[in-house]
Amino acid sequence: MEIREMSIDLETYSDIDITKCGAYKYAESDYFEILLFGVSVNGGPVKVYDLACGDTIPEEILAALSDENITKWAFNASFERICLSNWLKRHCPEHFRGYSIPEDPASKYLDPSSWKCTMIWSAYMGLPLSLEGVGAVLKLQDQKLKEGKDLIRYFCKPCKPTKANGGRTRNLPQHDSEKWILFKEYNRRDVEVEIAIKQKLARFPVPDFIWDEYHLDQEINDHGIMIDPEFVSNAIAFDERSKASLMSKMRDITGIDNPNSVQQIKKWLSDRGVEMESLGKKEVAKFVKDSIGNMDGNITEALKLRLLLAKSSVRKYQAMQIVMCSDGRAHGMFQFYGANRSGRWAGRLIQLQNLPQNHIPDLAEARALVRSGDYDTMNLLYNDIPDTLSQLIRTAFIPKPGCKFIVSDYSAIEARVLAHIAGEKWRSKVFAEGKDIYCASASQMFGVPVEKHGINSHLRQKGKIAELALGYGGSVGALKSMGALDNGLQEEELQPLVNAWRQANPNIVHFWWDVDNAVKTTVRQRIKTEVRGIRFSYKSGMLFITLPSGRQLAYVKPRIGENRFGGESVTYEGIGATKKWERIESYGPKFVENIVQAISRDLLCFAMRNLSFCQIVGHVHDEVIIECSPEVSVQSLCGIMSRSPDWMPGILIRGDGYQCDFYQKDS
């Protein structure tokens, strides 16, 4: 029988905790093995090969794993591909065929171009990222077996040695034959559920260009990004010494046994006439700021020390040590379609998306002190070691020897996209002329010229806060969340600031409510509508928003509901703030936020595909990190970043960039 496609599910064992270390490190362990190999060929009956009990996988199936003409399907296919890459190299090297050049870390893995993922298909349709969750939402006849978690805990992970289990550290099939039979059924069922998902979603195929993007994502994860192990190890040691010193000082001042105890500190403060509801960073920082000169010096000093202790960033460094594979690189840090409302990537493991920024001017010098292990000089020159270590986190990522990083990012990408699609021409003119959008916004709002370091410069901060908070329908609450009051604005200034921004941006405001009306009309009447090139449609219980790129955003089971103010709103089903599947309320400005972020994502993806000839090792929402030889020009790569796609030729995007010997934010 000719094999055209296979649906695969693996059950595996490793001594590595996959939730902390990721699939790449999990599968490279010496103790890793595949226990069960469930497969359906060409949609036929599922066959489970019990490798743990001596079954062998047929030669034609092994050969198909490296055959680029045969499509391999799995739910979270990257796991199956990575595991099979390692397994084939060990057990059937004649059937392993990597891709890329031997010097590229990606050469250690099966080519992703012939793999497709039902989890990505589900995410594209606005569905959960778990097999169990998708099965429940789609109401599949065959559901994932609920006993699965217990079976995985029993067979797939090390167990604690006890008298009852004879002191063993692992459970094998012979230790519970009934559970093993059920485990094989669980493996079979998972393949059946995956096939059922494909059948259920067959009317909504994922476009080929999305699969191309997925394959590029897999290649980037296969590349990984190098970590400086010596620097990371010293940073952790510095943090421990700093923390011990701070704790000692705090004990000396307060007499408290455990300065980490909120209860003990609150009592110590209360005994001195200070009542604090919370000891959170913001509350403590505000108290310290307000009480300077008006409070017992010991109280202020103790709270300052608490703030320093709270800054400890050792967790990120520890995550780097945990995740780093045998090649010295962190792999699998990016989840394709992790944010299914916009289709943006989500961070995994070390979370590149939320690393602290660096602002210290002598970054290289501070880094060198940590790398050389010179704690005493660091302590002498930097009185806030936790904060310095926090600012140095990015610098733990380094290019491989003989290479450099080029970091290229988009300037104000969401603001540019919003101005373009809403037709707010004065804003687009600001971008075309290379001017500061915060100054221009303040100038438009207050009717006076504003320069960053010149006339009316004090208004720029108001312009900046307004820009960051108000583009998606935000009001006074959004300004507060963005730190308006902490940045010197008064409560009575906030509503006038909202009014001024909206008056200065009438086309954006119109766009919010045009989108609101279009969505409601489509949901209510089941007809197609369009607003400034953004198309809305309804099909089989789904709302689709078609972006200029051709990509669609999907909203499950939309309907017209009532918001908390008694007005009409659109609700749909999705993963909410509680991380559970629930009905979510939305309205025009929120849909606009989804649209703008989704288009921004598409622009970055367009640039990444144009840059795919380079070795992309990392990316965030508006930034690409490239590992390259010293001869590569920053200007040439930024020029590629600045290209506009055919589907949005008039967008004024600009790629800015710089080169560095370690990852950092340009000063």
Side-chain angles (χ1 to χ4, degrees):
M1 179 180 64
E2 180 190 1
I3 300 178
R4 298 183 305 277
E5 69 172 38
M6 303 191 300
S7 293
I8 299 168
D9 185 70
L10 304 178
E11 305 304 337
T12 59
Y13 173 86
S14 178
D15 59 326
I16 299 295
D17 186 342
I18 194 170
T19 61
K20 294 178 181 176
C21 302
Y24 289 84
K25 190 165 183 177
Y26 173 91
E28 77 172 17
S29 166
D30 291 339
Y31 296 97
F32 166 79
E33 61 178 280
I34 295 176
L35 306 174
L36 300 173
F37 181 101
V39 61
S40 162
V41 175
N42 300 336
V46 179
K47 171 72 174 173
V48 175
Y49 295 96
D50 185 347
L51 303 188
C53 293
D55 284 359
T56 57
I57 302 171
E59 286 289 313
E60 61 269 23
I61 290 178
L62 290 173
L65 294 173
S66 287
D67 191 330
E68 294 171 16
N69 298 309
I70 297 173
T71 303
K72 277 73 68 175
W73 285 92
F75 194 92
N76 189 17
S78 62
F79 175 78
E80 270 71 19
R81 185 178 64 86
I82 294 158
C83 288
L84 284 164
S85 296
N86 283 277
W87 186 86
L88 284 172
K89 281 185 292 184
R90 289 181 197 173
H91 301 283
C92 307
E94 69 277 13
H95 288 300
F96 174 78
R97 190 165 69 248
Y99 68 111
S100 192
I101 58 174
E103 295 79 14
D104 183 349
S107 65
K108 298 182 296 184
Y109 305 102
L110 291 166
D111 188 341
S113 63
S114 60
W115 287 76
K116 290 185 177 178
C117 179
T118 40
M119 183 179 77
I120 300 305
W121 196 347
S122 301
Y124 187 75
M125 295 301 299
L127 298 169
L129 291 175
S130 72
L131 190 60
E132 185 178 13
V134 176
V137 172
L138 294 180
K139 295 182 170 59
L140 299 180
Q141 185 173 355
D142 291 326
Q143 297 280 337
K144 186 178 177 80
L145 291 181
K146 289 184 167 53
E147 302 93 335
K149 287 182 181 177
D150 290 334
L151 293 168
I152 286 170
R153 195 179 301 112
Y154 188 80
F155 289 114
C156 300
K157 300 177 180 181
C159 64
K160 290 182 178 179
T162 64
K163 283 185 179 179
N165 70 14
R168 68 175 182 265
T169 57
R170 180 181 171 188
N171 296 314
L172 298 170
Q174 59 265 33
H175 294 132
D176 196 320
S177 56
E178 288 187 8
K179 277 186 179 177
W180 187 252
I181 291 169
L182 187 58
F183 197 35
K184 289 164 74 170
E185 181 56 32
Y186 169 77
N187 181 234
R188 181 192 310 278
R189 178 68 63 83
D190 273 6
V191 181
E192 291 170 347
V193 173
E194 290 166 20
I195 293 170
I197 291 170
K198 284 169 58 186
Q199 292 170 343
K200 195 85 170 180
L201 298 180
R203 289 172 297 168
F204 309 102
V206 176
D208 287 342
F209 73 87
I210 297 294
W211 289 126
D212 291 341
E213 293 173 358
Y214 167 68
H215 296 143
L216 175 59
D217 160 81
Q218 293 294 283
E219 190 172 337
I220 292 169
N221 278 309
D222 287 351
H223 287 323
I225 183 168
M226 186 164 277
I227 292 171
D228 185 337
E230 193 170 352
F231 172 78
V232 169
S233 179
N234 284 345
I236 292 170
F238 276 32
D239 184 84
E240 288 171 355
R241 283 187 66 176
S242 168
K243 189 181 291 183
S245 174
L246 293 171
M247 294 277 272
S248 177
K249 288 178 185 176
M250 200 155 176
R251 285 192 191 96
D252 290 343
I253 291 171
T254 63
I256 293 172
D257 292 334
N258 178 15
N260 282 328
S261 168
V262 172
Q263 191 175 356
Q264 287 184 37
I265 292 177
K266 279 188 174 181
K267 184 178 185 309
W268 182 81
L269 290 169
S270 180
D271 290 345
R272 283 150 186 79
V274 176
E275 303 293 339
M276 291 189 70
E277 285 187 23
S278 168
L279 289 177
K281 292 181 189 178
K282 273 191 175 180
E283 292 78 9
V284 172
K286 186 176 186 306
F287 183 88
V288 169
K289 183 181 175 184
D290 294 345
S291 64
I292 289 175
N294 305 316
M295 186 64 62
D296 180 335
N298 280 344
I299 293 174
T300 305
E301 186 62 24
L303 291 174
K304 281 182 179 177
L305 288 167
R306 179 167 178 81
L307 284 175
L308 288 173
L309 282 164
K311 279 183 186 173
S312 174
S313 301
V314 74
R315 283 192 189 90
K316 290 287 187 186
Y317 290 114
Q318 288 171 334
M320 290 176 186
Q321 279 190 329
I322 291 169
V323 168
M324 187 169 59
C325 291
S326 59
D327 61 2
R329 303 175 80 92
H331 296 271
M333 287 173 55
F334 310 100
Q335 174 61 61
F336 187 74
Y337 245 89
N340 62 7
R341 221 93 74 218
S342 65
R344 277 180 160 173
W345 278 263
R348 293 291 182 262
L349 305 173
I350 304 170
Q351 296 280 3
L352 197 68
Q353 278 85 342
N354 63 4
L355 298 181
Q357 291 197 5
N358 50 266
H359 300 289
I360 53 177
D362 50 349
L363 192 70
E365 291 82 353
R367 186 185 191 280
L369 288 173
V370 176
R371 198 172 195 285
S372 66
D374 191 349
Y375 180 85
D376 292 334
T377 304
M378 169 71 89
N379 196 32
L380 183 68
L381 296 178
Y382 303 91
N383 56 11
D384 189 343
I385 286 182
D387 180 64
T388 305
L389 290 175
S390 178
Q391 294 196 50
L392 288 171
I393 289 174
R394 290 172 187 269
T395 74
F397 295 110
I398 56 173
K400 66 184 179 184
C403 289
K404 67 180 180 182
F405 281 154
I406 290 180
V407 182
S408 186
D409 65 356
Y410 282 131
S411 170
I413 183 64
E414 288 189 32
R416 290 169 185 263
V417 169
L418 181 57
H420 179 82
I421 59 173
E424 202 65 79
K425 291 194 166 81
W426 72 265
R427 296 171 70 89
S428 295
K429 187 167 182 274
V430 169
F431 294 126
E433 294 173 355
K435 293 181 178 177
D436 184 297
I437 186 61
Y438 302 142
C439 289
S441 185
S443 180
Q444 191 83 0
M445 289 161 64
F446 301 114
V448 295
V450 178
E451 296 175 6
K452 190 171 183 178
H453 300 295
I455 188 169
N456 295 316
S457 60
H458 65 286
L459 293 176
R460 183 181 184 273
Q461 185 64 20
K462 294 182 180 181
K464 180 176 182 178
I465 292 170
E467 281 296 308
L468 296 174
L470 305 180
Y472 303 126
S475 188
V476 170
L479 287 170
K480 288 180 178 178
S481 297
M482 201 58 68
L485 298 178
D486 296 333
N487 280 282
L489 272 73
Q490 302 302 311
E491 182 85 37
E492 59 271 16
E493 290 184 274
L494 300 186
Q495 188 59 52
L497 195 60
V498 173
N499 298 340
W501 191 91
R502 292 183 179 181
Q503 287 163 11
N505 295 277
N507 291 309
I508 290 176
V509 175
H510 284 308
F511 184 57
W512 295 341
W513 304 116
D514 288 345
V515 166
D516 188 75
N517 184 56
V519 170
K520 287 175 180 173
T521 301
T522 293
V523 171
R524 188 183 289 112
Q525 300 182 33
R526 314 285 171 88
I527 62 173
K528 294 180 180 179
T529 56
E530 184 172 333
V531 178
R532 299 192 64 84
I534 310 297
R535 303 193 305 277
F536 306 86
S537 57
Y538 184 98
K539 181 182 177 182
S540 303
M542 304 282 288
L543 167 69
F544 292 101
I545 300 178
T546 304
L547 305 169
S549 65
R551 189 165 67 92
Q552 291 186 320
L553 306 181
Y555 299 83
V556 179
K557 297 180 183 175
R559 64 179 183 225
I560 303 295
E562 185 177 299
N563 62 30
R564 62 184 184 277
F565 305 111
E568 271 189 345
S569 67
V570 173
T571 66
Y572 61 91
E573 291 183 7
I575 301 293
T578 61
K579 305 295 182 186
K580 294 179 181 177
W581 189 258
E582 60 189 9
R583 188 151 281 277
I584 299 168
E585 181 185 299
S586 195
Y587 71 128
K590 191 67 182 173
F591 283 114
V592 168
E593 181 178 20
N594 294 166
I595 290 165
V596 170
Q597 291 184 348
I599 293 173
S600 300
R601 174 261 184 216
D602 289 348
L603 289 168
L604 182 73
C605 207
F606 173 75
M608 287 165 61
R609 292 178 70 178
N610 287 335
L611 290 165
S612 60
F613 66 92
C614 303
Q615 188 145 300
I616 300 172
V617 296
H619 55 89
V620 291
H621 297 326
D622 60 355
E623 178 182 86
V624 175
I625 310 164
I626 293 165
E627 186 179 75
C628 57
S629 67
E631 296 78 31
V632 177
S633 158
V634 173
Q635 289 72 25
S636 64
L637 295 190
C638 288
I640 294 171
M641 282 280 287
S642 300
R643 290 179 192 166
S644 300
D646 292 342
W647 45 264
M648 192 173 270
I651 183 70
L652 297 165
I653 51 176
R654 190 182 82 214
D656 296 326
Y658 50 94
Q659 62 186 39
C660 45
D661 296 325
F662 43 76
Y663 181 44
Q664 63 187 89
K665 277 289 182 187
D666 200 20
S667 54

